[in-house]
């Protein structure tokens, strides 16, 4: 689930969020151009090791799986730690992960998992059911440990490990997500030494003990993340000798590096970049239906669980008529044609069409179609009249002006913002566009009126639904929570509880569609587009790599570790290294908008800095 968030935002949709490293991309390119001999020397020093370097634009919010919510962070955790179950690369159905099998009691209140015996921690110790029980119990008893994924265990009554190969989870009520618990299982013997889970970021001692396909060996903020293959991984070790995620603030710089062979893979391509690269020798463009949505979020009145209101959102957007008018003045077709240039589908429901079981469309009489005249009429009827100067007046008699929060790193955000300024300007509404590197701080503080948001959706959409429940709100104005946009709606919460307890697939899907309908009608979240995953890689460096789904899917930001784990180096491939890390294959991936959910989205808790915020 992730967000571009605002992405899923930086999380707060892609953060607390990350201060960006100014000029990181330029410095990297300068280093690579000025020191080619050093790059070659590094390769030689490593004995010709094949290094896959992934360039990312999203900062890490935290390397602690208990805190991380940005896509870059959760993607790295999928490489470091096993979950109980995984998602099949072909179609996303649940398959064994750390658990080889699972069964439930007749009343659906007790789940028993068989933990595999062929998984070891990278320090040599055996992985046991006790590690999984400890992980879940810590989340159940420590609010700090529940920061990122607490919604998964909120319904747990008791978790135990009667023996090393058996994990038993007892529930308060039936829970349909028991084969889709996206929670990294950590080694108890390492993590039981942690004191304050809200402050421990898992980024001081390397290598970090894990049991996934890769082992985290080094990390520098807004510079790089380095991982080595886990030679004892039960499914088999990755093909590359090292995986490096290298930070690029500018996607153009990453694309330039791809052309030079300095990186092997770049994601979040603009239409112009994709078009240009499609005719470049030794480069393949992957353009597939994405798992993200691109949305316009309105500030519903930031609040905490204790009932305190905070932030400075414009009260006008609390008026349903204003929200409906704003959305009626958005031409989705133009955005798809002009901004995404056909590399997207017009937005409707909250779940992208890639997930057919949960995809929802508003009924004809429910749909907010593009109709500027209707938008103006709605505002007039609601008492927002136009003055002699053509400016719309608020209930206070002053010109109605709104602020739009967006991601400076995302070209789509900037392009869409210009259209919104034009369309809403014709309604007499002024729009101040604030595209910043760190959207997390103003977002989590409730200091915005509207925001461009986005999230990555998983095969089971529970997480991206949970972030709009009252339970996801922060405990206090200064605390962190899982909420995407401070939405708290009783009817939505009731539907969420029902779908969570429903095991019948068709009935659960219907409940989820009712939730999407409710989100649509409240108008706090309006999905404008479902962007494609547009990526490119060098075929002279990557011989093969798995997409998800395999038939026509994405490479970066998968619901699993299939892409990087499966990547095969091309015979005789070589790539320049501009960071001192050797690279026979350098992978460049730039995370852009979501959501964000953000918006993506990297802080210690929200993910709104980039397009690929939360997973």
């Amino acid at each position: 689930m992730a967000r571009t968030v605002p992405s899923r935002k930086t999380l707060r949709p892609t953060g607390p969020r990350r201060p960006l490293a100014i000029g990181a991309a330029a410095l990297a390119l300068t280093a690579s151009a000025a020191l080619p001999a050093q790059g070659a020397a590094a390769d030689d020093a490593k004995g010709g090791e094949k290094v896959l370097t992934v360039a990312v634009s999203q900062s890490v919010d935290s390397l602690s799986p208990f805190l991380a919510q940005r896509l870059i962070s959760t993607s790295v955790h999928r490489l470091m730690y096993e979950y109980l179950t995984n998602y099949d690369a072909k179609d996303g159905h649940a398959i064994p992960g750390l658990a080889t099998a699972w069964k439930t009691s007749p009343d659906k209140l007790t789940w028993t998992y068989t933990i595999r015996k062929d998984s070891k921690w990278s320090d040599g110790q055996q992985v046991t059911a006790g590690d999984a029980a400890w992980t879940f119990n810590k989340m159940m008893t420590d609010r700090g440990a529940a920061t990122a994924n607490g919604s998964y265990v909120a319904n747990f009554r008791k978790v135990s490990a009667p023996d090393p190969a058996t994990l038993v989870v007892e529930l308060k009520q039936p829970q349909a997500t028991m084969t889709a618990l996206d929670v990294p299982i950590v080694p108890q013997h390492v993590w039981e030494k942690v004191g304050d889970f809200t402050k421990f970021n898992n980024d001081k001692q390397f290598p970090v003990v894990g049991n996934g396909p890769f082992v985290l060996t080094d990390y520098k903020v807004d510079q790089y993340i380095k991982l080595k293959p886990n030679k004892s991984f039960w499914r088999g070790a990755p093909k590359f000798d090292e995986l490096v995620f290298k930070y690029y603030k500018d996607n153009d710089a990453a694309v330039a590096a791809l052309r030079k062979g300095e990186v092997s893979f770049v994601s979040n391509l603009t239409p112009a970049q994709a078009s240009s690269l499609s005719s470049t020798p030794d480069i393949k463009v992957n353009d597939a239906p994405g798992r993200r949505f691109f949305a316009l979020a309105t500030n519903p009145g930031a609040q905490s669980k204790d009932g305190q209101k905070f932030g400075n959102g414009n009260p006008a957007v609390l008026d349903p008529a204003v929200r409906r008018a704003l959305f009626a003045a958005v031409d989705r077709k133009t955005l798809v044609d002009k901004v995404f240039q056909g590399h997207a589908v017009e937005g409707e429901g909250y779940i992208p069409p890639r997930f057919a079981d949960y995809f929802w469309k508003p009924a004809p009489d429910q749909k907010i179609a593009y109709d500027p005249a209707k938008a103006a009429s709605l505002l007039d009827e609601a008492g927002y009249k136009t003055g002699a100067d053509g400016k719309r007046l608020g209930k206070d008699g002053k010109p109605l002006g709104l602020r739009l929060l967006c991601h400076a790193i995302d070209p789509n955000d900037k392009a869409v913002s210009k259209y919104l300024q034009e369309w809403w300007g014709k309604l007499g509404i002024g729009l101040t566009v604030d595209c910043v590197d760190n959207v997390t701080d103003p977002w989590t503080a409730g200091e915005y009126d509207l925001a461009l948001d986005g999230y990555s959706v998983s095969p089971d959409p529970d997480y991206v639904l949970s972030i709009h429940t009252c339970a996801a709100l922060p405990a206090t104005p200064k605390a962190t929570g899982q909420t995407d946009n401070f939405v708290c709606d009783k009817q939505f919460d009731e539907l969420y509880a029902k779908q969570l307890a429903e095991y019948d697939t068709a009935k659960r899907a219907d409940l989820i569609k009712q939730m999407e309908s409710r989100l649509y009608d409240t108008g706090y979240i309006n999905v404008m587009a479902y962007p494609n995953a547009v990526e490119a890689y060098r075929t002279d460096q990557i011989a093969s790599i798995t997409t998800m789904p395999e038939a026509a899917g994405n490479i970066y930001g998968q619901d699993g570790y299939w892409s990087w784990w499966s990547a095969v180096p091309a015979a005789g491939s070589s790539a320049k290294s501009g960071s001192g890390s050797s690279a026979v294959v350098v992978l460049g991936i730039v995370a852009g908008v979501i959501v964000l959910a953000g918006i993506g989205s990297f802080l210690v808790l929200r993910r709104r800095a980039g397009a690929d915020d939360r997973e």
Side-chain angles (χ1 to χ4, degrees), residues 148-227:
N149 299 305
S151 63
Y152 289 115
V153 302
N155 183 46
F156 286 14
R157 187 176 72 83
K158 180 181 179 182
V159 181
S160 59
D163 61 67
T166 305
L167 175 72
V168 179
V169 179
E170 298 176 38
L171 305 173
K172 301 172 185 176
Q173 298 178 19
Q175 181 169 324
T177 61
M178 296 305 289
T179 59
L181 298 173
D182 291 340
V183 177
I185 303 302
V186 302
Q188 176 182 355
H189 66 281
V190 173
W191 284 84
E192 64 186 357
K193 301 173 185 177
V194 174
D196 188 345
F197 275 74
T198 65
K199 296 179 180 180
F200 183 74
N201 283 315
N202 199 27
D203 59 0
K204 301 303 180 185
Q205 294 186 340
F206 302 98
V208 176
V209 178
N211 66 331
F214 290 89
V215 177
L216 179 63
T217 58
D218 197 7
Y219 165 67
K220 296 294 183 184
V221 176
D222 286 345
Q223 293 184 45
Y224 59 77
I225 307 166
K226 296 182 179 181
L227 304 100

Side-chain angles (χ1 to χ4, degrees), residues 12 65 109 178 301 316 323 370 374 381 402 473 479 484 530 563:
R12 287 182 211 265
L109 293 178
M178 296 305 289
R323 296 197 297 270
Y370 176 55
K374 177 64 174 178
E381 294 172 3
L402 301 174
L473 294 174
D484 169 38
Y530 308 112
S563 55

Side-chain angles (χ1 to χ4, degrees), residues 76-82 86 210-216 227-240 243 560-562 564-566:
V76 169
H77 287 142
R78 284 189 179 277
L79 303 176
M80 296 168 58
Y81 304 103
E82 278 271 56
N86 206 332
N211 66 331
F214 290 89
V215 177
L216 179 63
L227 304 100
K228 288 280 191 179
N230 180 356
K231 300 297 185 180
S232 63
F233 184 53
W234 67 271
R235 199 185 289 274
K239 314 299 189 298
F240 280 87
L243 174 62
Y561 43 65
W562 310 115
W564 313 139
W565 171 77
S566 71

Side-chain angles (χ1 to χ4, degrees), residues 14 58 71 95 104 128 208 229 236 278 284 300 313 396 423 457 534 542 597:
T14 281
Q58 193 180 46
L71 184 61
I95 61 174
T104 183
T128 70
V208 176
S278 64
K284 178 179 175 60
D396 58 2
W423 293 330
V457 179
V534 186
I542 299 178

Side-chain angles (χ1 to χ4, degrees), residues 15-46:
R17 289 203 193 319
R18 41 110 190 208
L20 294 175
I22 299 177
L27 290 173
L29 290 176
T30 300
S32 124
L35 302 173
Q38 290 185 17
D43 287 342
D44 292 340
K46 291 198 170 204

Side-chain angles (χ1 to χ4, degrees), residues 382-419:
Y384 298 88
K385 303 295 185 178
T386 301
D389 59 358
K391 294 182 179 180
R392 191 75 57 172
L393 301 179
K395 294 297 181 66
D396 58 2
K398 298 179 181 180
L400 180 56
L402 301 174
R403 301 162 299 167
L404 177 70
L405 184 63
C406 56
H407 308 83
I409 197 173
D410 195 324
N412 290 331
D413 273 28
K414 296 176 182 178
V416 169
S417 297
K418 290 181 180 179
Y419 277 105

